[in-house]
Amino acid sequence: MSRFLSKEAMKLAPYTPGEQPKDAQYVKLNTNESPFPPSPKLMKAMTRAEELKLNLYSDPTCGRLNEAIARHYELKPENVISGNGSDEILAFAVRAFCGEGKGVAYADITYGFYQAQTALFGLEAKRIPLREDFSLNVDDYMDFPGTIVIANPNAPTGMAVPRADIQRLLEADPDRVVIVDEAYVDFGAESCVPMIYRYDNLLVVQTMSKSRQLAGGRVGYALGSAELIAALNRVKYSFNPYNVNRLSIIAGAAAVEDEAYFRQCCSAIAGNRAWLTGELEARGFAVLPSCANFVFAKSDKIDGGALYRQLKENGILVRWFDADRIRDYVRITVGSMEQLTELVDALDRLLEEV
């Protein structure tokens, strides 16, 4: 630990990313990446002429990208802000809408980045427990006066909240912002985007990392009222005006415009998820109902930590969280059928030894 580290930095609780091995020896089912390549249209858009412009700054307004996103959702460009992944957008939002006397609430079991961001900005945070079955009940948030963040579908559980429930939360207190993190919404949950024009306290955050195959491109965005987006831009221009690079602006615009490829990939993931769920349940696993590109499962024969370690020894990476309530579970990314078949074969070998 550096002797120059500030007291504030000492108090941080950094987010721990999933393992990113430098070699190709693993079947990688631990970080919810897509098993498919980016849209073919994206590759055509990445021209040599654009590459030669890398000596110039990118467009700080992300005009081309924001316009493509706005067209896709039938919104206006002023309802869109793009960022260097949805994590950056979430950071802008937490900084914009939380502060002294205005805290933030989120689930006790959810995306760990929320806790990391609240620590970074020194915010008062309230962690509200999920129900015993890991469902999120919005009634538990009704009396909270500050900003609310809901991952929908949730991570790592994969479970979704009905849009009607989030609508009740929005209407209960129009003076607080509700941030809905829809990183996994395209795989089977109800998006809150159709409610944006009706509720000026709703901010929807999405990413192109999962359903649009751009995890390495780092493209995220938020959708909301023009006033909310202006607030996010106020933070952006105080921190990193050129936050999305030239190539990612082009890549993101091309990806969002290729609707056919997007639907094809999402459909394949949903089908693979159903197959994996069935195979796990046939082997005695309890699997939570998932609307995401991963499943959260536990075995009745081996605990989560041991399963994670033994799968890793067999060349397969899954995600295990050494935390209360979920220690028995592993999170498994829905990969290609080839990857999932390797996983199931490995599970059969391991379970025979238990």
Side-chain angles (χ1 to χ4, degrees):
M1 191 72 69
S2 171
R3 62 189 176 92
F4 299 107
L5 197 65
S6 69
K7 292 180 179 179
E8 290 79 8
M10 287 280 289
K11 297 177 182 178
L12 296 182
Y15 172 70
T16 302
E19 295 169 89
Q20 295 286 354
K22 297 296 187 287
D23 52 49
Q25 65 173 312
Y26 292 103
V27 175
K28 198 167 178 297
L29 301 175
N30 65 326
T31 49
N32 302 337
E33 296 147 319
S34 174
F36 306 119
S39 161
K41 292 185 178 181
L42 181 155
M43 305 311 295
K44 292 180 181 179
M46 307 289 278
T47 64
R48 177 66 173 163
E50 292 295 340
E51 292 173 359
L52 290 174
K53 294 179 183 177
L54 288 177
N55 61 310
L56 304 175
Y57 283 114
S58 59
D59 174 11
T61 71
C62 300
R64 178 174 176 179
L65 177 56
N66 288 354
E67 289 167 8
I69 293 170
R71 283 195 301 272
H72 176 76
Y73 292 102
E74 298 182 344
L75 299 171
K76 298 176 181 178
E78 54 263 40
N79 299 121
V80 182
I81 181 175
S82 296
N84 184 9
S86 60
D87 287 344
E88 182 182 63
I89 295 294
L90 288 165
F92 290 167
V94 170
R95 179 67 288 172
F97 306 125
C98 305
E100 186 176 351
K102 185 178 290 187
V104 59
Y106 45 81
D108 65 331
I109 299 171
T110 191
Y111 184 29
F113 194 73
Y114 307 150
Q115 183 177 358
Q117 283 298 323
T118 52
L120 177 63
F121 295 124
L123 302 173
E124 181 180 344
K126 181 176 183 180
R127 300 176 67 189
I128 298 178
L130 296 177
R131 297 294 172 97
E132 186 176 351
D133 63 354
F134 296 112
S135 63
L136 186 150
N137 192 314
V138 298
D139 290 335
D140 298 333
Y141 293 76
M142 287 296 179
D143 296 331
F144 184 76
T147 299
I148 295 170
V149 183
I150 295 177
N152 194 36
N154 195 19
T157 66
M159 298 173 66
V161 179
R163 185 165 60 204
D165 285 355
I166 294 177
Q167 181 176 348
R168 290 198 296 114
L169 196 59
L170 291 163
E171 293 176 347
D173 185 352
D175 294 324
R176 68 182 171 198
V177 175
V178 177
I179 302 169
V180 184
D181 182 357
E182 294 188 344
Y184 303 101
V185 75
D186 295 323
F187 301 106
E190 289 182 297
S191 175
C192 288
V193 172
M195 299 195 296
I196 283 173
Y197 282 146
R198 294 163 55 193
Y199 300 99
D200 64 359
N201 58 331
L202 168 64
L203 185 76
V204 177
V205 179
Q206 293 199 9
T207 177
M208 296 195 189
S209 294
K210 320 298 181 182
S211 58
R212 297 189 189 276
Q213 298 77 46
L214 279 180
R218 311 307 304 128
V219 180
Y221 53 97
L223 310 168
S225 68
E227 291 77 16
L228 287 185
I229 299 303
L232 296 184
N233 273 310
R234 183 180 182 85
V235 175
K236 167 186 166 174
Y237 284 97
S238 300
F239 174 67
N240 185 16
Y242 304 101
N243 63 329
V244 184
N245 70 72
R246 278 183 167 272
L247 298 184
S248 290
I249 288 175
I250 296 167
V256 81
E257 288 168 352
D258 195 348
E259 183 70 13
Y261 187 71
F262 161 75
R263 292 189 180 279
Q264 174 186 332
C265 292
C266 289
S267 177
I269 292 296
N272 292 1
R273 182 182 64 208
W275 182 88
L276 176 60
T277 299
E279 294 296 315
L280 290 173
E281 290 178 340
R283 288 159 176 79
F285 281 78
V287 185
L288 297 187
S290 175
C291 289
N293 68 336
F294 58 83
V295 298
F296 204 49
K298 69 175 180 177
S299 171
D300 59 355
K301 299 177 181 178
I302 182 171
D303 68 72
L307 180 57
Y308 155 73
R309 288 186 290 271
Q310 291 184 35
L311 282 173
K312 185 175 181 179
E313 290 173 2
N314 282 265
I316 298 173
L317 289 178
V318 297
R319 191 80 192 267
W320 174 62
F321 300 89
D322 187 9
D324 292 342
R325 297 184 67 189
I326 59 174
R327 197 168 280 113
D328 291 336
Y329 288 80
V330 293
R331 192 193 68 192
I332 306 170
T333 300
V334 178
S336 66
M337 282 304 300
E338 180 181 7
Q339 291 174 317
L340 298 183
T341 299
E342 287 190 52
L343 167 70
V344 169
D345 289 344
L347 287 173
D348 284 339
R349 293 192 298 272
L350 295 177
L351 294 175
E352 284 178 3
E353 300 171 0
V354 177

